[in-house]
């Protein structure tokens, strides 16, 4: 079984400020972890993923995330927020099984203030 | 990169009718496709896993007779909402897994907005 908890359904930051979106997971097997972004009425776009290897992963649009096994966390960060970053962000975990289904967190709505 | 399309992007139908949504992987062969449902301001809920050439595996609580899934080829899966009712109105998103990718990454379609009147 696997699950994802995203702390904070809404996060507001000022333009140029640090973005930190929190994600904790549980998985009975070594997880694959993903962050997706969703703009209104659109599908999901992959920001970054962790599978194996380096625990700090860099994604698109200046985002990065660090896999911390001891903390079962995969928080998403960006040093300087841009207005275009305003969107819904989903953390997801893929566990075992041949299908490797994704389990999504509840999402975090990021607002960027001018 | 891998591209997944959905058609239609939005559809309005009358209560009691059926509607079909198509999901296509455009530049790769997808042995496995997934169908999700998303209510406003909520997360994605997995409805079913579709494997090419075999029956779909439905998640608990999803009516297989209402949500018919067919994965007849390696690039096409369809979701048919039968005898639609207003409570079936939702945003339906499909994804396709590229078996050539070692991380089993899923590529998502743009979604289909279904409104049942």
């Amino acid at each position: 079984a696997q699950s994802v908890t995203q702390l904070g359904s809404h996060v507001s930051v000022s333009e140029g400020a640090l973005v930190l979106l929190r994600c904790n997971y549980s998985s009975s097997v070594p997880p694959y972890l993903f962050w997706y972004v969703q703009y209104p009425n659109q599908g999901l776009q992959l920001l970054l993923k962790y599978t194996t290897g380096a625990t700090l992963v860099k994604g698109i649009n200046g985002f990065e995330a660090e896999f911390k096994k001891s903390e079962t966390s995969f928080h998403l960060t960006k040093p300087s927020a841009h207005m275009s970053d305003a969107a819904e962000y989903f953390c997801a975990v893929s566990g075992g099984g041949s299908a490797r289904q994704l389990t999504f967190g509840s999402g975090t709505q990021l607002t960027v203030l001018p | 990169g891998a591209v997944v399309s959905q058609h239609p992007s939005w559809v309005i139908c009358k209560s009691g009718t059926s509607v079909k949504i198509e999901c296509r992987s455009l530049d790769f062969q997808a042995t496995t496709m997934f169908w999700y449902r998303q209510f406003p301001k909520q997360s994605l809920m997995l409805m079913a896993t579709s494997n090419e050439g075999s029956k779909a595996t439905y998640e608990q609580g999803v009516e297989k007779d209402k949500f018919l899934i067919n994965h007849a080829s390696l690039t096409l899966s369809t979701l048919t909402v039968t005898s639609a009712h207003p409570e079936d109105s939702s945003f339906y998103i499909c994804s396709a897994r590229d078996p050539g990718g070692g991380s089993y990454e899923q590529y998502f379609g743009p979604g289909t907005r279904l409104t049942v009147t």
Side-chain angles (χ1 to χ4, degrees), chain B:
Chain B
V3 179
V4 175
S5 69
Q6 278 185 246
H7 179 80
S9 56
W10 59 270
V11 57
I12 301 173
C13 70
K14 292 186 176 182
S15 185
T17 63
S18 296
V19 61
K20 179 184 288 187
I21 302 170
E22 294 184 346
C23 177
R24 294 181 184 273
S25 57
L26 299 185
D27 50 4
F28 66 99
Q29 294 184 328
T31 53
T32 303
M33 290 183 171
F34 303 87
W35 286 96
Y36 298 85
R37 184 174 182 177
Q38 185 180 33
F39 291 104
K41 306 295 184 183
Q42 295 188 29
S43 188
L44 281 73
M45 181 191 76
L46 179 65
M47 299 175 65
T49 301
S50 167
N51 292 297
E52 186 267 337
S54 63
K55 291 184 178 180
T57 301
Y58 291 81
E59 295 300 300
Q60 190 173 8
V62 177
E63 300 176 61
K64 60 181 66 177
D65 294 331
K66 181 169 189 61
F67 298 100
L68 301 180
I69 292 173
N70 183 276
H71 192 161
S73 78
L74 287 171
T75 60
L76 174 65
S77 177
T78 60
L79 168 67
T80 301
V81 183
T82 63
S83 186
H85 291 282
E87 57 266 31
D88 298 325
S89 298
S90 189
F91 194 52
Y92 292 87
I93 303 175
C94 74
S95 70
R97 197 178 76 191
D98 182 358
S103 62
Y104 292 94
E105 182 176 333
Q106 291 183 28
Y107 299 93
F108 287 82
T112 297
R113 174 75 60 192
L114 170 63
T115 301
V116 184
T117 61

Side-chain angles (χ1 to χ4, degrees), chain A residues 47-65:
Chain A
L47 283 176
L48 48 79
K49 63 184 178 187
Y50 168 80
T51 55
T52 59
T55 56
L56 180 63
V57 292
K58 296 184 184 297
I60 62 172
N61 301 338
F63 285 95
E64 63 181 39

